[in-house]
């Protein structure tokens, strides 16, 4: 039997309810002069996940209301000018229907064109809603001018309430002097290699409030782009298992540990003599270039076909220039061949001056990877460099390997990193 968890009521839902209640309270003290319905709509429109979106929506709603109300007022003045502004005439004279249809149609074009001229195209819908509510639904009011004013005022009240409620937060002393670093796969991401909605929203909210946070991963910056594209990262990420420090905003490598050109050439010669194929990762002007050679192995060919689709990777099928320094070498082959080659590397003594990793492939059964880095290419070294760069002395790290991180993350709950981080960042409850 499949168990489905019921999602909890989110903060945005609660804020929406509070905003609605406040609009009713304000309407009561105004003596119900306006139409609270319009305040409610405006307030709900401004309750957004992020504060930047709240202000954007508020400006959009306000602009639309002003434009629509002004054209609605223009319509009323035009009727008064030509002497047919009396409600009883409008209500009972059938010929008014045709005049109204022509005038409203023409003015609707002007309303929409005005939003274009003022670069407020996003407010065009609201402009038309306000305009039409005046000239269609309330033209027969005893005092339609009073409705125009109240329509504008009700919207402003709703916008103000929405902004106030959405921006309100408890006066917490947030921990902005702690550098939080989290792993990615199996730590921050769920089984689908995505952040949950909760993690995404809460993480971005804390980042906007000053959270010092970054990611440490074996992935390349190219493979990071998709899962973290919506995260407001302000700090560079530690990528390629500590070989690089990459700024996602500026698309720049802030720090790189490379293998010298001379040593790189020796490694390539050694790989070639062993009859192996490899990917040579080199950074050229903040661009990752991956040199590779042809292979008949179907898994190897599939890997090339899959990875080269990314616009952030640049694959070149040729031998790299001898003068280039290499960030890391990557080999993929069948397990038995990789075992033999790994033993040859150990016999050669490369592990004394290089960092060599060997692990089984999760994607390709029966295959293994070998990666060769600069000896200093480690998450620990890069974390120390990042601490100096940000003038941060204290760090809290999250990961899945026992003994290597401050906070051990267990499999199952992909929200636990953000949840624990939130408790310490906002309330000072240190995660265990």
């Amino acid at each position: 039997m499949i168990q489905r968890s019921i999602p909890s009521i989110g903060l945005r839902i609660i804020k929406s309810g509070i905003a609605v209640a406040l609009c009713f309270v304000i309407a009561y003290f105004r003596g119900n002069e306006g139409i609270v319905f319009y305040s409610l709509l405006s307030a709900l429109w401004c309750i957004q996940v992020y504060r930047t979106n709240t202000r954007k929506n508020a400006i959009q709603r306000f602009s639309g209301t002003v434009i629509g109300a002004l054209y609605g007022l223009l319509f009323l003045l035009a009727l008064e000018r030509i002497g047919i502004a009396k409600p009883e005439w409008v209500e009972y004279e059938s010929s008014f229907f045709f005049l109204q249809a022509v005038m409203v149609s023409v003015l609707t074009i002007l309303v929409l064109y005005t939003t274009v001229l003022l670069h407020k195209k996003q407010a065009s819908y609201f402009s038309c809603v306000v305009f039409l509510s005046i000239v269609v639904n309330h033209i027969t009011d005893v005092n339609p001018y009073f409705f125009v004013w109240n329509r504008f005022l009700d919207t402003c009240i709703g916008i103000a309430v929405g902004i106030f409620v959405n921006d309100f937060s408890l006066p917490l002393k947030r921990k902005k002097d702690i550098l939080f670093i989290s792993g990615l796969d199996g730590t921050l991401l769920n089984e689908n290699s995505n952040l949950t909605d909760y993690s995404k929203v809460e993480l971005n909210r804390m980042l906007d409030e000053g959270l010092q946070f970054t990611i440490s991963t074996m992935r390349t910056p190219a493979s990071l782009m998709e899962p973290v594209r919506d995260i407001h990262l302000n700090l560079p990420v530690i990528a390629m298992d500590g070989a690089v420090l990459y700024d996602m905003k500026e698309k720049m490598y802030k720090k790189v540990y490379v293998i010298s050109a001379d040593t790189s050439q020796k490694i390539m010669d050694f790989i070639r003599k062993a009859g192996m194929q490899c990917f040579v990762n080199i950074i050229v002007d903040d661009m990752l270039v991956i040199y590779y050679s042809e292979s008949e192995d179907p898994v190897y060919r599939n890997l090339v076909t899959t990875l080269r689709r990314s616009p952030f990777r640049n694959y070149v099928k040729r031998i790299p220039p001898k003068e280039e320094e290499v960030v890391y070498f990557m080999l993929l082959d069948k397990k038995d061949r990789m075992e033999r080659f790994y033993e040859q590397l150990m016999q050669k003594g490369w592990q004394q001056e290089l960092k060599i990793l060997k692990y089984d492939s999760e994607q390709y059964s029966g295959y293994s990877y070998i990666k060769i880095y600069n000896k200093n290419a480690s998450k620990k070294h890069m974390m120390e460099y990042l601490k100096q760069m940000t003038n941060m002395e204290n760090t809290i790290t999250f990961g899945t390997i026992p003994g290597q991180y401050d906070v051990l993350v267990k499999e199952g709950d992909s929200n636990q990193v953000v949840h624990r981080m939130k408790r310490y960042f906002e309330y000072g409850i240190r995660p265990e």
Side-chain angles (χ1 to χ4, degrees):
M1 183 177 178
I2 300 176
Q3 294 183 346
R4 299 183 182 274
S5 58
I6 299 175
S8 58
I9 298 177
L11 184 59
R12 184 181 177 185
I13 296 175
I14 295 173
K15 285 184 175 181
S16 297
I18 294 173
V20 166
L22 286 176
C23 287
F24 274 112
V25 170
I26 294 172
Y28 173 78
F29 284 104
R30 286 182 63 206
N32 292 313
E33 288 187 358
I35 301 178
V36 69
F37 173 74
Y38 296 116
S39 295
L40 299 177
L41 290 183
S42 298
L44 292 175
W45 181 253
C46 293
I47 300 294
Q48 297 293 317
V49 174
Y50 306 123
R51 293 180 179 179
T52 53
N53 291 348
T54 294
R55 282 158 177 74
K56 179 180 177 181
N57 282 15
I59 293 172
Q60 184 184 98
R61 188 83 186 198
F62 180 78
S63 302
T65 300
V66 170
I67 294 170
L70 287 176
Y71 273 99
L73 182 62
L74 178 64
F75 179 84
L76 297 177
L77 292 173
L79 291 184
E80 185 174 325
R81 182 71 175 174
I82 59 179
I84 54 173
K86 292 182 179 180
E88 61 271 14
W89 192 97
V90 170
E91 187 171 1
Y92 297 110
E93 184 62 50
S94 60
S95 61
F96 174 76
F97 174 82
F98 300 102
L99 177 63
Q100 181 190 35
V102 173
M103 292 182 67
V104 169
S105 299
V106 172
L107 285 174
T108 298
I109 294 174
L110 292 177
V111 168
L112 293 172
Y113 188 58
T114 300
T115 63
V116 174
L117 291 177
L118 298 178
H119 304 289
K120 299 293 183 182
K121 289 188 286 186
Q122 298 297 324
S124 59
Y125 172 76
F126 298 110
S127 298
C128 289
V129 168
V130 173
F131 169 68
L132 294 174
S133 68
I134 294 170
V135 302
V136 177
N137 292 335
H138 294 273
I139 192 64
T140 58
D141 288 1
V142 174
N143 189 349
Y145 299 102
F146 187 64
F147 171 77
V148 173
W149 164 248
N150 274 324
R151 182 72 169 84
F152 172 75
L153 185 58
D154 291 333
T155 298
C156 290
I157 291 172
I159 290 172
V161 169
I163 293 175
F164 170 76
V165 173
N166 212 54
D167 284 1
F168 179 80
S169 61
L170 295 173
L172 303 173
K173 188 176 181 181
R174 292 167 175 80
K175 300 287 185 178
K176 299 181 182 181
D177 58 343
I178 303 291
L179 177 59
F180 295 89
I181 303 175
S182 173
L184 193 65
D185 295 285
T187 307
L188 197 60
L189 302 183
N190 59 22
E191 63 276 6
N192 297 319
S193 294
N194 295 316
L195 272 83
T196 65
D197 291 338
Y198 168 83
S199 291
K200 189 183 300 182
V201 170
E202 288 299 318
L203 183 55
N204 279 334
R205 184 184 59 77
M206 289 188 290
L207 285 166
D208 292 342
E209 293 176 353
L211 174 72
Q212 301 298 310
F213 170 80
T214 192
I215 292 167
S216 178
T217 178
M218 286 189 69
R219 292 191 184 207
T220 63
S223 61
L224 275 172
M225 296 295 180
E226 180 64 24
V228 302
R229 70 181 185 279
D230 296 325
I231 303 303
H232 307 164
L233 287 172
N234 296 313
L235 297 177
V237 297
I238 300 171
M240 299 183 190
D241 204 39
V244 303
L245 188 66
Y246 186 74
D247 192 311
M248 303 285 286
K249 281 187 174 180
E250 298 181 12
K251 304 294 187 293
M252 290 178 59
Y253 291 89
K254 297 295 187 179
K255 174 74 174 176
V256 182
Y257 287 109
V258 295
I259 303 171
S260 68
D262 182 58
T263 302
S264 296
Q265 193 60 44
K266 292 177 182 178
I267 295 171
M268 282 188 281
D269 291 339
F270 187 79
I271 292 173
R272 214 176 291 118
K273 288 179 181 178
M276 307 292 288
Q277 309 294 334
C278 72
F279 298 90
V280 184
N281 294 262
I282 296 173
I283 295 174
V284 181
D285 295 331
D286 287 306
M287 178 176 63
L288 181 62
V289 180
I290 305 169
Y291 293 91
Y292 72 102
S293 54
E294 196 61 81
S295 173
E296 296 300 322
D297 187 281
V299 170
Y300 181 96
R301 293 166 68 92
N302 179 264
L303 181 65
V304 173
T305 302
T306 302
L307 296 182
R308 72 180 307 161
R309 293 171 183 162
S310 169
F312 304 104
R313 297 184 180 93
N314 303 277
Y315 279 82
V316 180
K317 189 168 66 174
R318 66 178 65 169
I319 299 173
K322 293 184 179 180
E323 67 275 9
E324 292 288 357
E325 297 176 319
V326 176
V327 180
Y328 75 99
F329 295 88
M330 186 180 81
L331 296 87
L332 173 66
D333 214 319
K334 293 179 181 178
K335 281 186 179 182
D336 54 349
R337 292 197 67 192
M338 295 299 264
E339 288 287 350
R340 291 194 297 268
F341 182 68
Y342 184 76
E343 291 178 4
Q344 294 175 25
L345 288 171
M346 296 299 104
Q347 292 172 4
K348 187 72 176 178
W350 290 114
Q351 72 276 16
Q352 302 301 322
E353 53 182 308
L354 300 166
K355 183 175 85 170
I356 303 174
L357 302 179
K358 181 178 71 69
Y359 58 94
D360 294 339
S361 171
E362 295 182 0
Q363 184 178 4
Y364 303 109
S365 178
Y367 280 73
S368 296
Y369 286 102
I370 287 180
K371 293 183 178 180
I372 305 173
Y373 300 87
N374 179 300
K375 188 71 173 179
N376 294 319
S378 70
K379 295 177 182 178
K380 181 180 179 180
H381 286 154
M382 200 61 81
M383 186 173 68
E384 291 300 320
Y385 179 85
L386 184 59
K387 286 169 62 177
Q388 295 176 10
M389 177 180 167
T390 56
N391 294 318
M392 292 282 176
E393 296 182 1
N394 301 314
T395 60
I396 296 180
T397 59
F398 298 82
T400 56
I401 304 175
Q404 292 193 17
Y405 299 91
D406 298 321
V407 181
L408 182 64
V409 179
K410 298 179 181 179
E411 295 183 6
D413 184 6
S414 52
N415 290 326
Q416 59 184 306
V417 172
V418 173
H419 179 68
R420 294 184 186 184
M421 204 183 315
K422 177 182 176 181
R423 292 180 67 195
Y424 188 60
F425 176 66
E426 296 183 345
Y427 303 103
I429 303 174
R430 193 173 181 88
E432 298 178 355

